[in-house]
Amino acid sequence: MSFAPLVRLVTARRACVALVPLIAGCSSFEVPDSLDVVSKLNPYRIDIRQGNLVTQEMVGQLKAGMSREQVRFLLGTPMLADVFHPDRWDYVYFFKPGNKPEDTQQRRLIVYFEDDKLVSVGGDVVAAEDGEIQPPEQRTRTLDLSEVAAPDKAK
């Protein structure tokens, strides 16, 4: 008596049992929203902050005639101090939230000097008026600080 047909039958059954779950995984069966956990799981993404955060309050403290050291004390070390433009400092800030990349922010402030004294500032970070802090707008503006009196050093 030969066992070959019986062995073939058992092998075929094992192959079917092994292939059915694999084929079922490729089906177009829709999972109800209450059971769909995979689409609700998102990997954690860190917030990316680069550059110097310059606020409206910090810009409001700038006065014409301030020295480079005083400006550096208020705003921090500039992101870019260009060799070809020694009288210009650039402060750039970039923020990209990890899980909300559509809320990306980029701010820019340019500080101009003449004879190592502050002359004007430009960019999209402006000083708040009347003590109100307002969200930054997407615009660029240059302020001339020549009309603002320098702080008295005699006090």
Side-chain angles (χ1 to χ4, degrees):
M1 178 169 168
S2 172
F3 291 107
L6 184 61
V7 170
R8 277 189 231 140
L9 180 65
V10 169
T11 305
R13 283 186 183 171
R14 287 182 183 167
C16 287
V17 168
L19 288 176
V20 166
L22 293 175
I23 294 172
C26 297
S27 69
S28 63
F29 174 72
E30 291 189 29
V31 177
D33 288 338
S34 61
L35 299 176
D36 189 18
V37 177
V38 175
S39 67
K40 295 177 182 160
L41 295 176
N42 292 327
Y44 176 74
R45 292 184 173 94
I46 62 170
D47 295 341
I48 299 172
R49 298 173 194 268
Q50 295 177 318
N52 306 81
L53 176 60
V54 178
T55 63
Q56 292 175 324
E57 296 159 335
M58 295 164 82
V59 175
Q61 294 178 12
L62 293 175
K63 303 291 180 213
M66 293 178 97
S67 68
R68 289 180 186 256
E69 291 78 24
Q70 290 171 324
V71 173
R72 187 178 308 232
F73 180 77
L74 281 176
L75 303 179
T77 304
M79 183 71 134
L80 177 65
D82 192 4
V83 176
F84 299 107
H85 301 99
D87 291 333
R88 172 182 164 167
W89 285 355
D90 293 290
Y91 291 88
V92 180
Y93 177 71
F94 178 80
F95 173 68
K96 180 178 180 183
N99 290 331
K100 289 191 175 185
E102 64 273 3
D103 292 341
T104 300
Q105 295 179 13
Q106 184 170 354
R107 297 181 186 177
R108 187 177 60 141
L109 179 73
I110 304 168
V111 180
Y112 298 99
F113 295 96
E114 274 184 22
D115 299 324
D116 289 337
K117 299 295 179 188
L118 180 63
V119 176
S120 65
V121 294
D124 56 3
V125 180
V126 296
E129 298 173 5
D130 297 328
E132 290 186 24
I133 303 301
Q134 301 172 6
E137 298 177 15
Q138 295 296 329
R139 61 189 172 114
T140 301
R141 185 169 99 179
T142 301
L143 301 174
D144 186 17
L145 297 177
S146 60
E147 293 113 23
V148 180
D152 292 333
K153 294 183 182 180
K155 289 183 180 180

